Amino acid sequence: MRISIASLAAVGLGLATHAAAIDPIVIKGSKFFNKNTGEQFFFKGVAYQPRTGVTDPNPDPLADSVGCKRDVAVFKDLGLNSIRVYEVDYSKDHDDCMKMLEDAGIYVMLDIPSPDYAINREDPTWDTQLMGEWQDKVDAFSKYPNVIAWIAGNEVANDKDTTPSAAFVKAAIRDMRAYLKSKGLSTPVGYADNDDMDIRMNLINYFDCDDEDARAEFYAINTYRWCGDQATFQSSGYSDITKNMTGYSIPSLLTEYGCNKVRPRTFHEVESIFGSDMDGTLSGGLMYEYTEEDNDYGIVKVSYGDTSVDKTEDYSYFKKAMASADPSGVKMNSYSPSSKDSVCPSVGGNWKVKSGSLPPTPSNSTCECMMKSLSCVSKLKSMPTSSSDLKTFGKNVGSIFGTVCADVDCGDVSTDAENGQYGKYSFCDAIQRVSWVMNAWYAEQRGIDGSCDFNGFAETTKPSLSSDSTCSDQPSTNNGSGSGSSSKGSNKDDEENGSGSKTSGASSIGASSMGGATSVAAIIALAAASLF
């Protein structure tokens, strides 16, 4: 039996200066519970990412005290207990907004990835830079007792060709769970999928099989199947979703719902989500989305810096639906989980991930050690910050990898999820990996003149280590980015959130307007692909 605390009383950990005004939520088996009352907890929430009038390149609704005061009052009017926020800037101050939400009894689910630091579905990696950024975000929000859960990936694997990315998300879940544990926290880390029928069951099973410490602690689904008043629990496919999650060993919920093909939306699906059709299996849901943006999914219209709220026609229907949402839960002390762990999917057909083998935990010390053994390295010592410089860097890296790795074994810096093979330096950042590749060529050419030039991209250096033989023995740790100045978020829309590239499928309908920056990994991958 697995019981994990989803929201800890921060005072006991010295993480906050005020007593928590909100009860901790815990997981037992496949359900969430209020730790203090023992009542089952169901998410009654909305996706919250106001964008109208926002000019900050790192938008963050939880740092906007004016907007929070305006919107928390509306959340209370709707009877909500939770919100999902996709993009935040961890360098900003969130105390006012998080306290307002806490006092209103509202929990916050946060996406850990950001537009700039996300696992790219097309060319996935889980590296030191990503892990450091994610740790910094966790550090910034771990003091708030109403942070109920983290999402480590949103629709990353969205078709059969991108299923290898699931291995990297699962590795990220493993490492973020371990990092939270090292902080004395057990806020659950989960995954949100895009409800693709071809890969759905493999994804569900993959994130709940094998090493228990690497499993998702909850499974979320973004679905837009229920469209219009004529749809039913059966015709919409909600019955299939419920069947798929029945008997699952961890909690499941809807992290996006609310098809807008027919407007106004009357939200008849709420009756099934919080009624006998689904309340025995799923833990509620969060409607997409709160604010009206270019994609026409909002129930209110607001603008940054403005305190007024203009309710759309959908608002009254959603409020009425939520008022009647009265799920029949169970008491924690009388609940005995009976579900079984999932069986890992096998490689073949629509699935291209070998189970039982995950990318290694990123370690800065291992990568730094490796760099000390090289004689030919990148002249660039840190990643470019501008989009144009990043694209140029990506083209250079792609060209170097393509040229060198055609003749030299680059296994130490490469990954192959389908065969479960991950190089010992595959988690190093792009500069470190391309340096390893250039050094391999330099060694292959026995250091002849010009073999460490790469059109001016590289330079020779005197190594301080005679070999990298001890580098893999370095501790597999990573304690934040160390920069202290990054401002990154957890983007939902477009989807550059969990993947660094746009989504397809049902929930891309509700994920198309923010237009966040493309991730570093995505730019490098796209630039490299253009060369071959």
Side-chain angles (χ1 to χ4, degrees):
M1 180 185 300
R2 289 178 284 174
I3 302 179
S4 64
I5 298 178
S7 179
L8 294 176
V11 172
L13 296 169
L15 297 173
T17 57
H18 63 274
I22 197 165
D23 290 343
I25 303 300
V26 303
I27 289 174
K28 180 180 180 182
S30 61
K31 302 182 186 300
F32 290 91
F33 292 94
N34 182 307
K35 185 185 180 185
N36 292 346
T37 67
E39 298 287 337
Q40 187 175 347
F41 180 85
F42 292 87
F43 287 84
K44 296 181 179 179
V46 293
Y48 182 60
Q49 196 74 52
R51 303 182 287 284
T52 300
V54 175
T55 58
D56 192 323
N58 299 302
D60 184 348
L62 301 183
D64 176 13
S65 297
V66 173
C68 282
K69 184 177 181 180
R70 173 197 66 210
D71 296 330
V72 167
V74 181
F75 297 158
K76 292 170 68 175
D77 180 59
L78 289 168
L80 306 183
N81 64 12
S82 52
I83 59 173
R84 177 186 177 184
V85 181
Y86 302 92
E87 186 166 2
V88 293
D89 178 341
Y90 64 67
S91 70
K92 294 178 180 177
D93 184 353
H94 303 93
D95 289 353
D96 286 349
C97 191
M98 292 301 288
K99 188 62 168 64
M100 281 186 259
L101 290 163
E102 179 188 339
D103 290 344
I106 295 173
Y107 296 89
V108 180
M109 175 181 286
L110 286 169
D111 287 59
I112 316 179
S114 73
D116 292 327
Y117 295 98
I119 294 171
N120 181 320
R121 68 168 67 96
E122 303 294 343
D123 186 22
T125 186
W126 173 236
D127 61 23
T128 54
Q129 190 176 30
L130 279 178
M131 190 161 109
E133 287 288 331
W134 290 22
Q135 288 173 343
D136 285 344
K137 184 177 291 185
V138 166
D139 288 345
F141 282 89
S142 61
K143 64 181 178 179
Y144 302 118
N146 53 331
V147 173
I148 193 172
W150 295 98
I151 292 179
N154 186 73
E155 306 183 6
V156 185
N158 66 350
D159 57 31
K160 65 179 181 179
D161 293 327
T162 57
T163 54
S165 63
F168 297 85
V169 177
K170 193 168 182 178
I173 289 173
R174 173 200 63 203
D175 294 336
M176 295 313 297
R177 287 183 60 183
Y179 187 69
L180 284 160
K181 184 177 181 180
S182 75
K183 296 286 185 179
L185 298 165
S186 56
T187 316
V189 183
Y191 179 73
D193 85 6
N194 70 322
D195 193 25
D196 184 281
M197 291 186 289
D198 291 336
I199 61 173
R200 178 199 302 157
M201 291 312 301
N202 283 334
L203 276 174
I204 290 171
N205 291 330
Y206 181 70
F207 281 104
D208 186 45
C209 76
D210 225 2
D211 181 8
E212 185 168 342
D213 291 335
R215 298 175 188 173
E217 295 177 275
F218 64 92
Y219 197 82
I221 300 169
N222 302 333
T223 184
Y224 293 83
R225 294 166 172 264
W226 196 306
C227 299
D229 292 347
Q230 301 306 310
T232 66
F233 178 61
Q234 295 292 336
S235 68
S236 65
Y238 268 48
S239 59
D240 294 331
I241 292 173
T242 307
K243 180 181 178 180
N244 293 338
M245 305 313 301
T246 300
Y248 206 40
S249 67
I250 58 176
S252 57
L253 69 149
L254 302 184
T255 39
E256 292 176 16
Y257 71 87
C259 174
N260 70 348
K261 289 183 177 179
V262 180
R263 294 195 78 175
R265 294 182 292 172
T266 53
F267 300 103
H268 285 182
E269 65 265 47
V270 167
E271 183 177 352
S272 285
I273 295 170
F274 297 99
S276 58
D277 286 337
M278 302 177 77
D279 65 7
T281 302
L282 271 69
S283 297
L286 298 101
M287 185 274 295
Y288 189 85
E289 68 177 319
Y290 176 67
T291 56
E292 181 82 336
E293 308 293 343
D294 292 340
N295 54 6
D296 298 327
Y297 273 85
I299 57 173
V300 303
K301 295 179 180 178
V302 299
S303 184
Y304 181 78
D306 191 346
T307 59
S308 64
V309 178
D310 182 13
K311 299 172 182 177
T312 72
E313 195 173 1
D314 290 358
Y315 185 92
S316 60
Y317 287 107
F318 185 63
K319 181 178 178 179
K320 180 180 179 180
M322 294 308 296
S324 63
D326 186 24
S328 299
V330 297
K331 287 282 190 177
M332 183 166 65
N333 59 8
S334 62
Y335 168 60
S336 298
S338 58
S339 54
K340 297 180 180 180
D341 295 341
S342 301
V343 176
C344 290
S346 299
V347 173
N350 293 332
W351 190 249
K352 300 180 180 182
V353 187
K354 183 178 180 180
S355 299
S357 180
L358 290 175
T361 298
S363 168
N364 277 322
S365 55
T366 295
C367 300
E368 290 164 1
C369 176
M370 178 269 286
M371 288 293 289
K372 293 176 181 178
S373 72
L374 306 183
S375 299
C376 179
V377 298
S378 167
K379 283 184 179 179
L380 199 64
K381 305 307 177 187
S382 60
M383 292 293 294
T385 55
S386 75
S387 178
S388 60
D389 288 345
L390 200 52
K391 288 179 180 178
T392 299
F393 173 78
K395 290 180 180 179
N396 287 331
V397 170
S399 177
I400 292 166
F401 267 82
T403 300
V404 174
C405 296
D407 295 316
V408 176
D409 182 3
C410 294
D412 281 357
V413 292
S414 302
T415 62
D416 182 353
E418 190 166 0
N419 291 301
Q421 297 173 350
Y422 305 96
K424 59 184 178 181
Y425 303 129
S426 60
F427 52 71
C428 297
D429 67 34
I431 289 176
Q432 292 165 333
R433 282 182 280 128
V434 75
S435 292
W436 185 96
V437 170
M438 293 187 299
N439 186 77
W441 178 258
Y442 186 62
E444 178 79 9
Q445 299 300 308
R446 302 179 187 274
I448 62 174
D449 289 345
S451 59
C452 181
D453 181 72
F454 295 93
N455 294 321
F457 190 81
E459 64 184 3
T460 58
T461 186
K462 186 177 181 179
S464 58
L465 292 178
S466 59
S467 77
D468 66 347
S469 60
T470 63
C471 292
S472 294
D473 298 330
Q474 302 297 310
S476 295
T477 57
N478 199 18
N479 295 312
S481 66
S483 66
S485 61
S486 294
S487 302
K488 305 305 170 189
S490 179
N491 180 27
K492 145 78 187 124
D493 292 61
D494 218 31
E495 174 57 38
E496 274 134 358
N497 167 27
S499 67
S501 53
K502 294 181 180 179
T503 57
S504 61
S507 71
S508 63
I509 298 170
S512 60
S513 70
M514 187 175 291
T518 305
S519 73
V520 171
I523 289 175
I524 294 173
L526 292 171
S530 69
L531 297 166
F532 307 117

